[in-house]
Amino acid sequence: MAQGKKYDIRVTENDGSWTAEIVRKISTRKTKVTKRQDGFGSEAEAQSWGEETLNSFLQQQVERNQRKAAQRTEREAQALRQAAKAEQKRAAAAEADDADYADYDD
């Protein structure tokens, strides 16, 4: 799988005012604006805001991903515990069932 930048900064000028946008790459051809700020006096100000915002946004994403990964790990461990407990119950029921049939064989 190709690795590319998923988030980027786009700075544009409209009638002497600068706009900075944080854009997310959805597919090869499609992007979506995640955050936007306009009214900057210069391109440098807009670029600076974009870089700061992108860094904080990416940090939040990293923290969110770590939180979700920990939750996923806990859910998977819980599912394994439940599956093991269910298997033990099935084994105990099968053993009890076999013991009942052993009484009829005599």
Side-chain angles (χ1 to χ4, degrees):
M1 188 167 127
Q3 294 292 322
K5 291 176 77 174
K6 184 155 183 143
Y7 294 93
D8 201 8
I9 302 167
R10 181 170 47 194
V11 178
T12 56
E13 181 183 17
N14 289 334
D15 300 326
S17 176
W18 291 87
T19 301
E21 300 172 334
I22 306 297
V23 291
R24 178 172 63 98
K25 190 173 186 178
I26 296 174
S27 67
T28 305
R29 297 181 184 125
K30 198 171 181 183
T31 60
K32 180 178 184 196
V33 175
T34 302
K35 283 191 170 191
R36 174 183 296 175
Q37 179 76 30
D38 57 355
F40 293 104
S42 69
E43 181 179 9
E45 290 175 11
Q47 185 71 27
S48 173
W49 177 87
E51 289 171 359
E52 290 174 15
T53 305
L54 181 61
N55 287 336
S56 68
F57 182 78
L58 291 176
Q59 183 60 35
Q60 288 174 352
Q61 288 294 102
V62 167
E63 292 169 3
R64 178 182 178 272
N65 289 344
Q66 289 173 346
R67 227 178 15 256
K68 296 279 186 179
Q71 291 170 351
R72 181 176 48 253
T73 303
E74 179 57 34
R75 271 195 320 269
E76 290 170 353
Q78 179 68 23
L80 287 174
R81 286 192 296 269
Q82 287 178 348
K85 187 183 274 189
E87 182 60 35
Q88 287 176 347
K89 283 184 179 182
R90 279 193 290 273
E95 189 175 299
D97 200 26
D98 289 344
D100 289 342
Y101 284 122
D103 291 340
Y104 291 117
D105 289 341
D106 291 338

